[in-house]
Amino acid sequence: MSEAEEDSSEYAEESEEEDPSTGPDSEDLESEPDDEEMEVLKKYLSVNDKSLDDLELPPKVVKSTVRAWDSFVGVFERKESAADAIYGAFFDAAPNLQGMFRAPRATMGLRILTGITSFVHAAHDATLLRRQVEAVAFNHLDLDVTAPRVEIFREATMEVFDLELGALFGTRARMGLSSIMTYAGGAYIFCRKEYAGRIRLLLRSWNTAAKKGDDVDQIEDLDSKSDEEEEEEEVAQERVEVDPTKSQEGGKNSQLKVPTTFDEMFLFNAAVMGYSNSTWMKFILEYFDPIVTNVANSYRLQEACDVLSLNLAKCKGEINLPEFKAVMLASLRSLVPKEWNSQHEVAWNWLWENVERLLTKQLGKPRAQQKALERFVVNLSQDALTGYCRDVYKRFFQLAPSGQDFFKQSTTRLFFIAEKIVEMTVEMYRTPKKMVEELSGLGLRHVGYGVPTELFSPYVTAAVEIVRGFTTDDTTETAFAWSLTLIAKIMVRTLVEGSTVVMQAINTNIEKNLKKAIAVAPRGKRAMELLNITVGTQSISPLYWAIESGSLVCAQAMIEDLLTIRADRDNYYYGADALFTRHPEVIKKLSSSAPSLLETLLEGLVWRSRVISNGTRRVNCYCKHLMQDVDGNPHQALQWLVEYGNPVIISQFTIVLVADLIWTRLAAYHFLLGRCYFLFTLCVAVTSQSFLSYSKASKTPETLESNTVVFVCRIFLYLGSMGKILYGQIRCFQADCRNGDIDRSFYIPIPQYLFSLKEAGNFLLLWILVCMCIEEPLWHCGVWSTTETALIFSTHCETVEENGSKRRYTGFSCVAILLYWALLLDFSIFSMHISAYVLVFGRVLSEVALFVMALAFVVVAFATSIMALEHDFVEMASMDEWLLSLTEMSLGMFHPDYYRSLNSESNVLIVVIIFMLIVSIILVNLLVAQLNQAYQHVYTDMQGYARLNRASVIVATLEGISNKRWGRFLRGMNFEERLEFNEGDVGLAGGVQIVEPAAAHIVTVDSIRRFGGSSAPTMPWPDEEDSMEDRFDRLEKLIVSSVKKMGKGRSKKKKTKDNGSSVLASLSGATDEGSDGSGSGSD
Ligand code: HEM
């Protein structure tokens, strides 16, 4: 296992190694292998599972194989297609082996292609090839690879090559590739036999020691147990059964804390053995689980050991690894007493030897490397850094030209990334643990960028090369290379683990690809494949990635897929729960980043029956997650939609239903309750200011009773109404100040709450009430006066009339009453029609304001111009009289008799006629046209705006509702009860059912997709009906492959006729014939 590991420098240098396929070679590689070569090749064509020797292929064979392999991959437009061709051929050849592959087809195909590519390219170096084959063999430990299966796979691959390359696939290449594949297959079987038992033993005992247990099933699959092992287990079992004293003893000491986990036992043993001061052991302990669980994955094991070595570098004192082994074995023996035997000793010793070797290689180096690298980075001038960034990309693009396709950003951004990567190399030494976490996230983001793993190696090579030019210090260079290699390794692993077919499909933004990718997912996990990819502690959501990267076609297909109800005999599958649990804020996300998908989401929450009964149909609306969040509190969905402010979305069936349910069952009552007080205040205000207010004109004498009522009402107005409004305003002001919601766009700071019409009205009313309070005649006329002229609580006395305060007071009072009525307008939300009318009124007001402005301008212009004229009008000799008169004329309030008096002054008459022409013909008609247009503009959205208004009131009302009432409301919604689809067909919970008139929506196809066959949650859904396009695609492929096969068939006939000696000769002959058309005659 360990031999298969590449060390860091090799990783960086790998891409620099000479590629045998690219060297200048004029030799005819398609010629027949000579006898010597044949002799060598023959012996590699049978599967050798007895030992793992080196595969020494003749150089020419290697070159031919590499060339053939690259040509094969090059035939296809995309690497995925090449992978699919090989994978498909294997599947067709051995359909019964399909169950062996658990990963999706595209992933598996790519893995196979990548694996064989690395073998073919390493074939020139037998040791490298062996190490690579061995490394891959560890990933095959849980697969039942056998010699016949290896041959089937090999032959299937050869067939695809024949089909695609024809004559180009010469005998040398064929035998070379066959040998490599046979060799790899033999190696898999050998490694499986050799190490599987040992690894199974390790994992099994580790699961017992670490108290995992759940994963034992997986280990069972690794290999069938040998009889010997089974016997031993049985004996151990019996031993436990007949030894009850042990447990009794344990019972006696139960007060003592007995270590039960591996970590506890280890620390206990370490203390007993005198290593309690060896803090480094704790670091290893932290990484011990990933080390043991990844024992079969050499690449991952190396990574864990590298990170561990960085952590160990932080420990002071001597590190003596054999001491850890002693404590480890002692702990394991205590924790796995029943099963422990000599085989366990051997297995754990073997594991530790490998770990020790990997750690020792790096131990002691990180500290010096960190220092050197830090010094290098700190001393790097800005110019040098810029030079480095420029050169890195230049060199990288030389090494891997395809890398240019991924870096589309500006140079400054690229330089920023390159600088960040340099910083990361230092940070890796400083805080390895944190970096590993961050790299998982970064790796997952690179999955989203669609970066292929093979580009990492050239990037590392380029970076190391350029750094080499900047320093002569070996330690610095090694430190940089080692750290960057480790970073790249972690990212590549994350990329491999996180590169699901769904993510790959998202990168193409093609719906068909996404559907294909998700089609293979088990039905029970389908939703989560679209919503979550986890690597380590980091996770990414493919759906969110699709939205963020602008792959909205895929995002829409994902939402549609999630919200499609599918069913087998046993279960209904619907992704709404998974979607809202994973992304409770999905409505907010969509409204800010992809509003076009909101409709798709909301429509997906509704099911309509195809069956009509009594002219109505059932409608199930799965709106639970729009009403309550995961903790059962009111959901913010409505609030987000109000903030989004789109009248079309708020009028969606689902949202209307949700809003209406909350409104009618809960919020309306609370809203009314809250407004009752205001209604009362209005009544009080009107009573005291309008009905009972004394005025000279009314000629009714003051009475003590009416004065007392007015006094009480006004005291209530100042304390009960003004006080309450003041309290509300202070709270809003405080909240805005606290949150920094102050708007300065009008040069004066305005708290945000004042932009709400209602609050602005309240603010104004408050100040009017304050002014009323100051000018209040009650205080000025002497409250307790009982003179003959003034009664007690009188508001009528000479003082207030003389100094004009009564006039001012009544003015304020008039405005206050108007404001009270205006604030009452929010009662209109009880009816959407009235509310819509009010809103339209508000929206066209701006047009009226324009008219008023224009009118004022014209009036002032004409009044001043008339004042410039010489005339004998004694009645209208001043400016203000003309202003008033012209205004009255435009509003039709000017008395007709006055017009007659104008006849004597012809010059004034002409000006007035022009004025009237402008006002009554142009301005008034313009206003009509404006109002018309504005009304038409808002008419379509009128209801939507009304709904937005009501939704905002609902949101505000919900804030003040107690948890108890909310809980009662939720219980009333009965979201736990499963709703019937059609009669007797009990379906999904989490919604409400209503009936609607059948004509409201025409439904011809049931939106539930039902499938027969197996109902196991692990099974994918059977293929849904193909689209026409798919069928044509398949037909085209079939025709192409048939034509190729026909060509091949002809070549075989020819071969028999000619009795040709070699496969190569016959194939090329046939192809030539076929291509010039002469072959058809012979058929
Ligand atoms: C050791 C290897 C690498 C490291 C440490 C690394 C690190 C980073 C970092 C830190 C960013 C910044 C943006 C973010 O946080 O997502 C980034 C962005 C990116 N990387 Fe890498 N990267 C590596 C290799 C590569 C390679 C080989 C490619 C492909 C040729 C690549 C393609 C990208 C792309 C396309 C972006 C997005 C840039 C943007 O949108 O601004 N990276 N990488």
Side-chain angles (χ1 to χ4, degrees):
M1 164 196 56
S2 53
E3 286 165 41
E5 296 304 317
E6 305 147 353
D7 68 32
S8 58
S9 54
E10 277 170 349
Y11 188 91
E13 285 159 14
E14 211 171 278
S15 64
E16 292 175 289
E17 283 178 33
E18 196 208 334
D19 184 348
S21 65
T22 54
D25 191 353
S26 56
E27 248 179 287
D28 178 16
L29 298 174
E30 272 72 50
S31 66
E32 285 294 294
D34 57 31
D35 291 347
E36 207 178 310
E37 285 173 338
M38 277 305 256
E39 192 81 358
V40 178
L41 288 169
K42 261 186 208 160
K43 76 172 185 226
Y44 290 132
L45 289 181
S46 55
V47 179
N48 173 18
D49 58 5
K50 303 283 177 298
S51 60
L52 182 54
D53 305 324
D54 287 349
L55 177 75
E56 306 275 4
L57 287 179
K60 279 186 187 170
V61 175
V62 173
K63 283 182 185 175
S64 298
T65 313
V66 172
R67 182 177 284 188
W69 179 262
D70 289 347
S71 312
F72 171 77
V73 177
V75 165
F76 298 88
E77 225 171 74
R78 292 167 62 236
K79 223 169 58 175
E80 287 77 6
S81 317
D84 197 60
I86 295 184
Y87 194 70
F90 179 46
F91 259 25
D92 292 346
N96 58 330
L97 298 185
Q98 292 185 14
M100 276 170 68
F101 300 106
R102 291 178 209 135
R105 181 184 176 116
T107 316
M108 211 59 233
L110 266 181
R111 275 192 207 160
I112 293 174
L113 187 87
T114 318
I116 305 180
T117 308
S118 70
F119 296 162
V120 170
H121 284 265
H124 63 284
D125 180 343
T127 321
L128 181 66
L129 177 64
R130 181 163 55 76
R131 282 160 57 185
Q132 289 198 350
V133 166
E134 206 180 9
V136 178
F138 280 103
N139 297 333
H140 284 71
L141 288 177
D142 56 344
L143 291 181
D144 190 12
V145 185
T146 58
R149 287 177 179 178
V150 171
E151 278 162 14
I152 291 173
F153 189 26
R154 186 187 65 198
E155 290 315 311
T157 313
M158 295 306 129
E159 240 179 70
V160 187
F161 268 68
D162 281 339
L163 206 65
E164 298 299 339
L165 294 185
L168 288 176
F169 192 42
T171 313
R172 264 208 186 105
R174 163 186 290 277
M175 295 189 83
L177 189 59
S178 294
S179 307
I180 293 172
M181 292 183 73
T182 316
Y183 173 72
Y188 296 168
I189 304 171
F190 173 76
C191 288
R192 190 174 146 84
K193 273 198 301 198
E194 193 68 3
Y195 297 127
R198 198 177 277 181
I199 290 170
R200 189 171 62 79
L201 208 71
L202 276 173
L203 293 180
R204 212 180 156 74
S205 46
W206 177 242
N207 275 304
T208 315
K211 298 274 177 291
K212 286 190 177 174
D214 304 346
D215 304 333
V216 174
D217 291 352
Q218 286 177 13
I219 306 159
E220 295 282 357
D221 295 342
L222 272 176
D223 208 350
S224 56
K225 282 184 233 166
S226 66
D227 294 347
E228 215 176 302
E229 283 167 342
E230 271 176 16
E231 261 173 41
E232 272 179 32
E233 269 176 33
E234 275 166 29
V235 172
Q237 187 67 30
E238 279 165 23
R239 253 200 327 252
V240 179
E241 279 165 15
V242 296
D243 194 6
T245 48
K246 270 193 177 176
S247 57
Q248 278 166 17
E249 274 169 32
K252 273 180 213 164
N253 297 330
S254 58
Q255 268 118 330
L256 287 175
K257 172 121 179 48
V258 182
T260 48
T261 63
F262 178 78
D263 287 8
E264 286 169 2
M265 185 60 85
F266 186 93
L267 293 175
F268 175 76
N269 281 334
V272 171
M273 292 161 86
Y275 302 130
S276 47
N277 293 332
S278 307
T279 42
W280 58 270
M281 286 193 181
K282 288 185 189 149
F283 280 98
I284 302 187
L285 207 53
E286 218 174 293
Y287 282 84
F288 201 59
D289 184 62
I291 286 178
V292 180
T293 45
N294 289 304
V295 58
N297 182 345
S298 51
Y299 195 78
R300 187 79 177 77
L301 185 66
Q302 170 81 58
E303 182 197 312
C305 288
D306 284 348
V307 179
L308 175 58
S309 68
L310 287 176
N311 278 305
L312 287 177
K314 310 263 170 265
C315 297
K316 293 195 177 95
E318 199 199 341
I319 293 174
N320 191 351
L321 293 174
E323 284 175 3
F324 186 92
K325 185 170 90 175
V327 184
M328 172 192 85
L329 288 174
S331 310
L332 286 166
R333 279 184 213 118
S334 337
L335 288 167
V336 199
K338 296 175 233 165
E339 299 161 24
W340 196 263
N341 57 29
S342 58
Q343 285 177 10
H344 286 83
E345 293 279 344
V346 174
W348 282 96
N349 271 303
W350 170 77
L351 168 76
W352 188 250
E353 271 165 28
N354 282 311
V355 174
E356 213 177 296
R357 192 171 35 75
L358 291 174
L359 286 176
T360 328
K361 240 197 314 182
Q362 189 59 16
L363 226 54
K365 293 182 191 167
R367 250 185 250 175
Q369 288 180 344
Q370 181 180 342
K371 268 190 197 157
L373 196 58
E374 275 175 347
R375 208 177 318 119
F376 169 72
V377 174
V378 169
N379 293 334
L380 216 57
S381 67
Q382 191 52 49
D383 285 349
L385 201 58
T386 313
Y388 161 83
C389 297
R390 195 184 45 241
D391 293 350
V392 159
Y393 285 108
K394 214 160 125 192
R395 182 72 187 119
F396 172 56
F397 294 148
Q398 273 170 5
L399 288 172
S402 62
Q404 296 178 68
D405 300 339
F406 296 91
F407 289 116
K408 299 167 194 155
Q409 298 74 10
S410 64
T411 319
T412 49
R413 172 78 182 156
L414 294 190
F415 284 14
F416 164 79
I417 295 173
E419 280 179 31
K420 202 163 174 197
I421 294 176
V422 174
E423 282 165 24
M424 285 163 76
T425 55
V426 182
E427 212 51 42
M428 193 73 206
Y429 283 104
R430 284 189 191 141
T431 51
K433 214 167 151 188
K434 189 169 138 244
M435 276 302 288
V436 171
E437 297 255 308
E438 284 181 13
L439 285 171
S440 303
L442 188 62
L444 281 176
R445 285 206 292 284
H446 279 69
V447 173
Y449 304 143
V451 179
T453 49
E454 57 268 23
L455 289 183
F456 280 79
S457 177
Y459 187 90
V460 174
T461 311
V464 173
E465 258 183 42
I466 305 302
V467 163
R468 196 175 294 146
F470 279 84
T471 177
T472 47
D473 179 23
D474 278 354
T475 318
T476 308
E477 191 193 319
T478 319
F480 181 79
W482 189 84
S483 179
L484 190 56
T485 304
L486 182 56
I487 290 171
K489 273 183 184 177
I490 297 173
M491 282 179 68
V492 167
R493 173 179 56 79
T494 323
L495 226 76
V496 172
E497 287 173 20
S499 264
T500 63
V501 273
V502 172
M503 283 302 270
Q504 286 163 8
I506 290 172
N507 287 333
T508 63
N509 196 20
I510 298 173
E511 186 185 346
K512 204 166 126 191
N513 290 357
L514 183 97
K515 284 190 173 160
K516 267 190 189 163
I518 198 63
V520 291
R523 61 189 72 175
K525 290 188 180 157
R526 190 173 170 116
M528 281 330 275
E529 295 240 341
L530 294 173
L531 294 170
N532 196 22
I533 299 172
T534 304
V535 175
T537 53
Q538 305 285 316
S539 64
I540 191 173
S541 158
L543 174 64
Y544 269 27
W545 185 264
I547 293 170
E548 279 157 19
S549 61
S551 303
L552 295 190
V553 177
C554 275
Q556 174 156 4
M558 289 162 101
I559 295 177
E560 279 167 5
D561 193 272
L562 282 166
L563 299 181
T564 301
I565 305 176
R566 293 185 178 81
D568 53 34
R569 279 183 306 280
D570 295 338
N571 282 311
Y572 278 100
Y573 292 84
Y574 185 46
D577 281 347
L579 172 63
F580 283 96
T581 313
R582 172 82 171 101
H583 297 306
E585 70 307 319
V586 64
I587 299 272
K588 190 178 180 186
K589 179 82 184 171
L590 291 187
S591 30
S592 61
S593 307
S596 58
L597 302 185
L598 268 173
E599 272 190 65
T600 314
L601 175 81
L602 297 173
E603 275 166 16
L605 298 174
V606 182
W607 168 86
R608 287 193 165 82
S609 174
R610 200 161 49 100
V611 182
I612 299 171
S613 157
N614 296 330
T616 57
R617 74 170 86 247
R618 293 181 192 213
V619 181
N620 290 0
C621 181
Y622 296 97
C623 55
K624 174 183 160 185
H625 297 290
L626 297 179
M627 287 201 187
Q628 62 171 94
D629 63 14
V630 273
D631 302 322
N633 298 321
H635 203 286
Q636 284 172 288
L638 218 51
Q639 186 185 334
W640 293 325
L641 290 176
V642 169
E643 281 164 17
Y644 177 46
N646 187 322
V648 179
I649 294 296
I650 206 82
S651 307
Q652 273 281 325
F653 176 81
T654 321
I655 299 298
V656 169
L657 186 70
V658 168
D660 284 355
L661 280 170
I662 303 181
W663 176 250
T664 49
R665 296 195 184 183
L666 186 73
Y669 170 72
H670 285 269
F671 174 75
L672 202 60
L673 216 63
R675 301 304 281 158
C676 272
Y677 183 77
F678 182 78
L679 211 59
F680 177 68
T681 321
L682 174 70
C683 294
V684 172
V686 170
T687 310
S688 77
Q689 307 303 121
S690 308
F691 292 127
L692 297 178
S693 167
Y694 173 81
S695 78
K696 271 197 279 182
S698 67
K699 289 187 183 144
T700 45
E702 270 186 314
T703 63
L704 183 62
E705 291 75 17
S706 68
N707 274 7
T708 313
V709 173
V710 167
F711 174 77
V712 172
C713 288
R714 290 194 182 173
I715 293 296
F716 174 80
L717 271 190
Y718 299 133
L719 294 179
S721 180
M722 193 177 79
K724 185 172 182 295
I725 298 175
L726 181 67
Y727 175 69
Q729 293 284 305
I730 291 175
R731 280 189 56 180
C732 291
F733 182 73
Q734 264 185 343
D736 277 356
C737 289
R738 209 177 22 245
N739 303 332
D741 290 336
I742 307 287
D743 193 287
R744 288 171 204 277
S745 31
F746 299 106
Y747 302 106
I748 43 163
I750 304 174
Q752 201 67 39
Y753 79 95
L754 286 182
F755 287 92
S756 139
L757 219 57
K758 187 181 158 197
E759 292 305 331
N762 274 326
F763 179 77
L764 205 60
L765 181 59
L766 174 69
W767 285 107
I768 300 284
L769 286 173
V770 170
C771 294
M772 277 170 69
C773 189
I774 295 167
E775 301 285 353
E776 179 56 62
L778 273 172
W779 327 140
H780 297 291
C781 292
V783 178
W784 304 113
S785 163
T786 49
T787 57
E788 268 179 40
T789 45
L791 287 173
I792 188 169
F793 304 140
S794 173
T795 55
H796 171 60
C797 61
E798 278 177 12
T799 337
V800 288
E801 270 166 30
E802 274 167 16
N803 66 14
S805 91
K806 176 97 185 248
R807 188 164 272 275
R808 286 196 296 276
Y809 175 80
T810 49
F812 289 134
S813 167
C814 165
V815 179
I817 296 293
L818 275 177
L819 279 173
Y820 270 115
W821 282 108
L823 286 170
L824 197 71
L825 278 181
D826 60 2
F827 269 90
S828 63
I829 60 162
F830 277 95
S831 156
M832 280 301 103
H833 280 292
I834 301 174
S835 183
Y837 179 78
V838 172
L839 283 172
V840 171
F841 176 78
R843 272 160 200 278
V844 296
L845 268 187
S846 55
E847 306 298 326
V848 178
L850 282 177
F851 168 77
V852 171
M853 263 168 55
L855 183 66
F857 177 81
V858 174
V859 167
V860 172
F862 277 85
T864 47
S865 76
I866 291 173
M867 283 303 292
L869 270 178
E870 192 188 350
H871 62 83
D872 298 331
F873 265 132
V874 191
E875 301 94 330
M876 293 193 273
S878 67
M879 176 78 152
D880 54 334
E881 276 163 339
W882 272 109
L883 283 175
L884 186 68
S885 303
L886 289 179
T887 312
E888 281 176 356
M889 281 179 205
S890 28
L891 297 177
M893 294 158 72
F894 198 66
H895 201 281
D897 292 345
Y898 287 122
Y899 283 115
R900 244 173 253 132
S901 56
L902 285 177
N903 289 341
S904 55
E905 292 290 337
S906 56
N907 49 355
V908 177
L909 184 67
I910 291 170
V911 179
V912 170
I913 288 173
I914 297 172
F915 170 76
M916 289 306 287
L917 276 176
I918 292 177
V919 172
S920 56
I921 297 186
I922 302 181
L923 285 190
V924 171
N925 285 317
L926 197 63
L927 175 68
V928 173
Q930 272 173 294
L931 293 183
N932 241 325
Q933 182 61 30
Y935 186 80
Q936 273 191 2
H937 188 67
V938 292
Y939 177 76
T940 38
D941 296 332
M942 199 163 59
Q943 291 274 340
Y945 282 115
R947 293 211 166 272
L948 271 174
N949 194 26
R950 184 192 270 185
S952 66
V953 172
I954 295 175
V955 170
T957 313
L958 282 182
E959 277 171 20
I961 284 177
S962 68
N963 288 345
K964 209 169 139 196
R965 282 185 192 283
W966 175 253
R968 204 181 311 144
F969 163 74
L970 279 188
R971 278 195 294 284
M973 295 305 301
N974 220 352
F975 283 135
E976 284 69 38
E977 191 180 302
R978 291 168 64 193
L979 303 176
E980 254 189 356
F981 284 117
N982 292 317
E983 215 173 347
D985 179 8
V986 183
L988 298 155
V992 286
Q993 188 169 79
I994 55 165
V995 283
E996 67 175 17
H1001 289 93
I1002 307 298
V1003 181
T1004 49
V1005 186
D1006 188 0
S1007 59
I1008 302 176
R1009 310 231 178 120
R1010 297 176 188 276
F1011 298 90
S1014 164
S1015 61
T1018 46
M1019 291 295 290
W1021 293 109
D1023 278 349
E1024 293 180 40
E1025 217 173 273
D1026 294 340
S1027 66
M1028 217 48 178
E1029 208 184 322
D1030 283 343
R1031 289 186 202 171
F1032 275 122
D1033 273 2
R1034 251 184 297 144
L1035 193 66
E1036 197 183 322
K1037 271 188 196 157
L1038 205 69
I1039 294 170
V1040 171
S1041 76
S1042 306
V1043 169
K1044 280 185 181 170
K1045 272 187 188 153
M1046 277 161 67
K1048 198 179 142 204
R1050 281 201 300 274
S1051 73
K1052 274 188 184 158
K1053 270 190 187 175
K1054 179 91 173 60
K1055 180 184 146 198
T1056 337
K1057 259 192 214 166
D1058 298 349
N1059 203 11
S1061 57
S1062 76
V1063 178
L1064 174 67
S1066 67
L1067 271 175
S1068 45
T1071 317
D1072 293 346
E1073 252 179 62
S1075 58
D1076 64 14
S1078 56
S1080 52
S1082 65
D1083 281 352

